[in-house]
Amino acid sequence: MIFSVLFGLMLPLVMLPGRIACAFPESFGATTDPPPNILIITVDNVGYGDLKPFNDASSIITPNLNLFASQGALLTNFYTASPTCTASRAALLTGRIPQRNKLSEQLVGLEGNYGIGLSHSEIILPQLVKKSPHGYATAAFGKWNIGFAPGSRPTERGFDEFLGIASGNADHFTHVYAGRKDLYHNTTAINRHGEYSTDLFANAAIDFIKAKTSNEIPWMVYLPFDAPHHPGDRNVAPGEPNNWKAPDYAFEPYGLSPGVKDPKKRFNAVVTAIDLAIGRVMETLDELGIADHTFVFLYSDNGAFYPYLDIQSNAPLRGAGVTLWEGGIRVPAIARWPGKIKANSTITTRLWSPDLFVGVAELAGAELPQDRFIDGKNPIPVLTGQTIHSPHATLFFKYQSHAALIWGDYKILREKPEDPWMLFNLREDQAETTDLAGSHPDFVRKMEEPYRLTEAEINRYLEREQKKRNFQR
């Protein structure tokens, strides 16, 4: 019975012909003429408690993000589909969880980052938007991290323009990854040594937005900042300290010298630099008179990592990135669309990153792929206040040995397959301090069943997909 209900919830995304059905009034979304511009911003490893709109105790100065939040909605129950960078980005871009798009692990090293990465058979956001009849221009500026082999690069996968790094935690000023210059414009390696990556990416986005707006072309921009992720040791030149790197101007709001050694103060400056960059992008929308006609969504790709929890914060959540504790997968998110998304509001309804794939299709009037399963569901009715109910009955998570499922107020979690399930009431205990499995074994059994059935459904789906590919050969 449970499987029937779950399959019934999944079926409409697989079988519905043409564009997804509009679930809100004609003044919203895909029926808008002209269609809205779309700006998707991600930040890298920002914890739930790092930003002041989510944690008033945060010492990080972010006036522009504070303003952004006051103009839109805070999403306090938003999840990333994976607690690691590569898999998180692939889930956003495909609308499919890592187990389904098969990019479930972090790409590392030159071999990983310059390999195929995400399968070429996957349809990603810009390819989806290109199905819109409205002639969207598309661009990506920032961290790619899902494969950079020929055929895998952004401008070969639907983006009209790309400026960014191919890999992950490159140095923010030299753009070096493992001894190699990692910065590209489209498919050409470029050298912008000394220019801070956050500013490079924001400036490129601003230039693209101005150019397309002046020509009255609707646009979708994917702006995945590579900060504040700490640079890897192998990406910093010999003899240079590997510290949190920020431009001099980002220390000024704190009254600090750029030479300050304290890692917490340096991290704060890195986030403030992001805030200032986002502020310039938002000011550009205002100056061009298109702020009211632009859907903006910002979230962190995953939670802060364990080595830095004395510097960063996932408060009040437990755990960190690369785990399925709430601190790894529940992330800060903000949405703004003036006149459509209520200003200075809070949305507690549960959504997750694959939903943006479906939401963008709705906004752009694009057709969803009909030949594959999409795990995301349309978030626009929730964001625009048409409903307070989540489009998801459950959320399924799996990362390496970790597993979790959220259903209603409850979450089951285990760190190893041989471990017993833990049970938490997220409404009453979002910090996951009290394991209820011993006192509610019936709840555990009830939630374990949809986890098992969902896992089995995914495996059967992948088997069918493989048979289909083999037949096509």
Side-chain angles (χ1 to χ4, degrees):
M1 177 63 182
I2 293 176
F3 181 73
S4 298
V5 172
L6 290 174
F7 187 73
L9 290 169
M10 298 168 180
L11 190 60
L13 285 176
V14 183
M15 302 301 294
L16 185 64
R19 185 172 58 82
I20 58 176
C22 187
F24 44 92
E26 289 189 358
S27 59
F28 296 149
T31 55
T32 302
D33 187 20
N37 303 305
I38 300 165
L39 174 59
I40 306 295
I41 305 172
T42 63
V43 287
D44 203 355
N45 297 5
V46 168
Y48 191 89
D50 279 333
L51 303 180
K52 204 167 189 65
F54 293 85
N55 176 16
D56 194 55
S58 174
S59 60
I60 304 175
I61 297 174
T62 55
N64 295 292
L65 286 173
N66 298 347
L67 176 61
F68 176 31
S70 71
Q71 295 170 336
L74 289 182
L75 280 70
T76 58
N77 208 358
F78 186 82
Y79 288 81
T80 178
S82 177
T84 190
C85 301
T86 292
S88 172
R89 291 158 201 278
L92 162 68
L93 289 170
T94 63
R96 286 150 60 86
I97 61 175
Q99 290 68 41
R100 217 179 292 277
N101 68 41
K102 294 187 175 181
L103 192 52
S104 59
E105 298 293 334
Q106 184 65 28
L107 293 180
V108 296
L110 295 176
E111 181 179 1
N113 280 287
Y114 284 84
I116 290 175
L118 182 68
S119 170
H120 293 175
S121 65
E122 291 293 328
I123 295 172
I124 68 171
L125 264 180
Q127 294 166 317
L128 176 75
V129 170
K130 290 297 185 184
K131 294 178 179 289
S132 166
H134 300 296
Y136 274 82
T138 60
F141 304 109
K143 173 177 172 177
W144 188 238
N145 200 208
I146 59 169
F148 212 74
S152 296
R153 297 168 292 192
T155 52
E156 297 164 332
R157 303 203 67 162
F159 284 111
D160 298 323
E161 185 175 350
F162 170 70
L163 188 144
I165 57 172
S167 305
N169 52 346
D171 185 281
H172 297 315
F173 282 105
T174 67
H175 322 122
V176 167
Y177 181 86
R180 175 175 179 162
K181 287 285 186 182
D182 200 50
L183 186 68
Y184 288 80
H185 180 225
N186 298 332
T187 59
T188 302
I190 60 174
N191 187 352
R192 302 285 286 273
H193 187 102
E195 296 185 51
Y196 193 60
S197 60
T198 296
D199 292 330
L200 268 174
F201 305 150
N203 291 344
I206 289 169
D207 289 345
F208 183 87
I209 289 168
K210 286 181 176 179
K212 301 310 170 186
T213 301
S214 67
N215 289 318
E216 298 184 346
I217 299 171
W219 49 262
M220 185 201 79
V221 168
Y222 172 46
L223 182 56
F225 289 108
D226 65 335
H229 197 306
H230 197 279
D233 284 337
R234 63 183 167 190
N235 306 331
V236 178
E240 286 190 16
N242 186 6
N243 53 20
W244 302 93
K245 295 189 176 183
D248 290 357
Y249 65 78
F251 294 92
E252 294 175 3
Y254 300 92
L256 296 172
S257 161
V260 63
K261 303 294 185 184
D262 185 283
K264 170 59 177 170
K265 293 176 181 178
R266 297 194 65 84
F267 170 77
N268 289 0
V270 174
V271 179
T272 294
I274 299 171
D275 175 82
L276 293 168
I278 290 174
R280 289 190 292 109
V281 175
M282 295 302 181
E283 287 172 5
T284 299
L285 302 182
D286 290 335
E287 291 167 2
L288 295 173
I290 59 173
D292 289 354
H293 199 61
T294 303
F295 173 85
V296 185
F297 197 99
L298 175 147
Y299 77 99
S300 180
D301 63 345
N302 47 252
F305 285 2
Y306 274 126
Y308 309 114
L309 288 189
D310 58 338
I311 296 169
Q312 295 188 246
S313 172
N314 289 324
L317 309 176
R318 179 178 177 178
V322 301
T323 80
L324 295 182
W325 295 97
E326 290 291 282
I329 54 176
R330 195 196 297 197
V331 293
I334 305 172
R336 191 189 82 169
W337 190 12
K340 311 295 190 302
I341 295 174
K342 185 178 179 182
N344 202 28
S345 62
T346 298
I347 294 174
T348 60
T349 304
R350 187 173 293 125
L351 297 169
W352 69 345
S353 54
D355 295 337
L356 289 171
F357 186 89
V358 183
V360 167
E362 178 69 16
L363 296 174
E367 292 187 358
L368 286 172
Q370 300 301 305
D371 62 344
R372 64 201 61 213
F373 188 94
I374 305 297
D375 293 284
K377 296 190 182 345
N378 188 8
I380 303 300
V382 171
L383 297 177
T384 56
Q386 302 306 299
T387 180
I388 61 171
H389 301 295
S390 175
H392 301 281
T394 63
L395 294 183
F396 170 95
F397 299 91
K398 190 174 183 181
Y399 178 69
Q400 295 183 345
S401 64
H402 295 243
L405 183 126
I406 299 174
W407 188 359
D409 293 339
Y410 291 88
K411 175 182 177 181
I412 54 171
L413 169 72
R414 65 186 180 200
E415 296 184 305
K416 297 178 182 178
E418 62 269 23
D419 289 347
W421 288 105
M422 294 174 280
L423 174 70
F424 301 98
N425 183 329
L426 295 180
R427 179 181 292 274
E428 298 177 358
D429 180 26
Q430 61 181 340
E432 297 172 295
T433 60
T434 304
D435 180 5
L436 303 173
S439 58
H440 290 81
D442 53 334
F443 280 25
V444 175
R445 287 191 297 271
K446 183 172 185 175
M447 296 184 68
E448 184 179 25
E449 184 69 359
Y451 180 90
R452 184 184 65 79
L453 290 172
T454 301
E455 188 174 45
E457 179 273 321
I458 291 170
N459 290 336
R460 286 196 295 271
Y461 174 84
L462 294 177
E463 289 172 4
R464 290 194 300 270
E465 290 295 296
Q466 186 59 52
K467 289 179 181 177
K468 184 193 306 182
R469 284 190 289 271
N470 291 340
F471 178 78
Q472 290 170 345
R473 290 187 189 134

